[in-house]
Amino acid sequence: MAGFLTDSEFDQYKKLIYDASGITFSASNRSILESRLRERLKSANLDSPAEYYRLLTSSHDELKTLLDSVTTNLTRFFRNTAHIQTFEYYVIPELIKQKQASGNKTIKLWSAGCSTGEEPYTLAMVLKETLPADFTIQIVASDISLKSLMIGKEGFYGHNKMAGVPQNYLSKYFDEKPDGFQVKGFLKDNIRFDYHNLKHDSGLRGLDVVFCRNVLIYFDAPAQKSVIDRFWECMAPKSFLFIGHSESLFGMDTQFEFLKTDWACIYQKKT
């Protein structure tokens, strides 16, 4: 169906989505937006993009559903080995030293854009394996996709999702079922799944680590800077920021410092 949106309608939708979420659509990914809109029109039993636009501007729930549909939820356990190694072999030892010196033995972490939950569960397992027994773990896992969050909260994954999970982790942190693996309750207890739009302040403070990987690519430069500035406000002194391997803060006016480890490059809040 060529010409599903007129150029003016595309501009309208592009602005609505950007203002609501910071997600940017351009000519190169216009087809993705049009495909998602066709699906939503069919679900809403509407005939035209103009009718659906009127629905979006009057229904916050429908707008959230559209934002859910235009995000891509690609993830897996132990994604980007270099990042996981940096977390395990550099960041966690640094945090242990800090926390033992201060007497505050709680590590607070945010998985922002957590998709279906593989990332926060990976981080929780690594923390469980490496932290001293008297440490406490608090992980907030957020996403703009309610559908993805429900999968993460349930913590059940088919056999095809378990590639990359070490065998000893599988037996320790999952119960095997006939059609997949269920995350054990004691691991789930460390993670709170929560809907959050990165365009807004999360209300979180004192975070030791923020993972926000392969999310900034959906934003233009001003929206990226706003997100990064909000991360700064959320994070504790001497905390660590992980972004996607294809993402960078280079050229951005930010107070985060570039940190090169033996495994990967990340960012640190040093003040």
Side-chain angles (χ1 to χ4, degrees):
M1 194 192 297
F4 177 70
L5 293 178
T6 66
D7 288 346
S8 62
E9 286 173 336
F10 175 60
D11 288 342
Q12 267 190 320
Y13 275 103
K14 186 170 72 170
K15 183 178 188 305
L16 179 71
I17 291 168
Y18 180 79
D19 289 346
S21 66
I23 296 170
T24 303
F25 278 92
S26 62
S28 63
N29 56 7
R30 176 172 173 162
S31 61
I32 297 172
L33 175 58
E34 292 191 341
S35 171
R36 301 298 188 271
L37 287 173
R38 285 193 190 99
E39 293 168 7
R40 293 310 308 152
L41 259 75
K42 188 175 178 183
S43 296
N45 198 26
L46 296 174
D47 296 324
S48 72
E51 284 181 286
Y52 185 60
Y53 185 84
R54 286 193 290 274
L55 173 62
L56 283 176
T57 54
S58 63
S59 170
H60 184 63
D61 286 344
E62 183 59 35
L63 180 58
K64 284 171 77 170
T65 301
L66 177 64
L67 294 178
D68 187 332
S69 75
V70 299
T71 55
T72 304
N73 297 301
L74 292 175
T75 187
R76 63 179 183 272
F77 287 104
F78 292 87
R79 187 179 189 182
N80 192 329
T81 302
H83 272 175
I84 303 304
Q85 290 173 325
T86 301
F87 181 61
E88 180 173 358
Y89 302 128
Y90 183 87
V91 169
I92 294 176
E94 287 293 313
L95 290 175
I96 290 172
K97 283 189 286 187
Q98 288 179 30
K99 299 292 184 177
Q100 287 177 332
S102 70
N104 169 19
K105 295 184 179 180
T106 297
I107 288 187
K108 297 169 72 175
L109 189 150
W110 182 14
S111 171
C114 70
S115 187
T116 46
E118 287 91 334
E119 178 179 89
Y121 285 126
T122 297
L123 302 175
M125 287 187 282
V126 173
L127 285 165
K128 284 282 190 187
E129 290 294 308
T130 52
L131 286 178
D134 58 344
F135 272 61
T136 302
I137 303 165
Q138 293 179 1
I139 298 175
V140 174
S142 73
D143 205 273
I144 201 170
S145 169
L146 286 167
K147 186 167 52 182
S148 296
L149 286 170
M150 293 309 293
I151 294 169
K153 197 168 187 178
E154 185 182 359
F156 182 83
Y157 300 94
H159 290 92
N160 62 323
K161 299 288 188 182
M162 306 309 293
V165 181
Q167 187 58 45
N168 61 315
Y169 281 51
L170 270 182
S171 56
K172 190 170 182 179
Y173 297 106
F174 297 85
D175 290 318
E176 187 168 8
K177 307 291 184 181
D179 51 349
F181 288 83
Q182 175 66 54
V183 178
K184 290 188 176 182
F186 77 90
L187 189 69
K188 291 176 76 172
D189 289 344
N190 298 280
I191 303 170
R192 175 169 63 88
F193 286 92
D194 193 18
Y195 177 86
H196 179 65
N197 183 334
L198 286 172
K199 193 171 175 69
H200 307 299
D201 181 11
S202 65
L204 300 170
R205 294 296 182 267
L207 295 165
D208 299 298
V209 189
V210 172
F211 273 76
C212 184
R213 301 189 293 172
N214 307 306
V215 176
L216 296 178
I217 52 175
Y218 293 103
F219 301 151
D220 66 2
Q224 286 179 356
K225 182 172 178 354
S226 295
V227 170
I228 293 300
D229 287 347
R230 280 190 286 275
F231 285 156
W232 178 272
E233 294 300 320
C234 289
M235 294 170 69
K238 298 181 182 176
S239 52
F240 300 92
L241 172 66
F242 288 76
I243 60 177
H245 68 274
S246 63
E247 299 168 326
S248 171
L249 304 188
F250 181 74
M252 187 183 294
D253 180 18
T254 172
Q255 298 177 77
F256 283 104
E257 294 188 19
F258 183 77
L259 176 61
K260 189 176 188 306
T261 73
D262 290 342
W263 304 272
C265 298
I266 59 173
Y267 294 88
Q268 185 171 20
K269 176 176 176 176
K270 282 198 170 177
T271 56

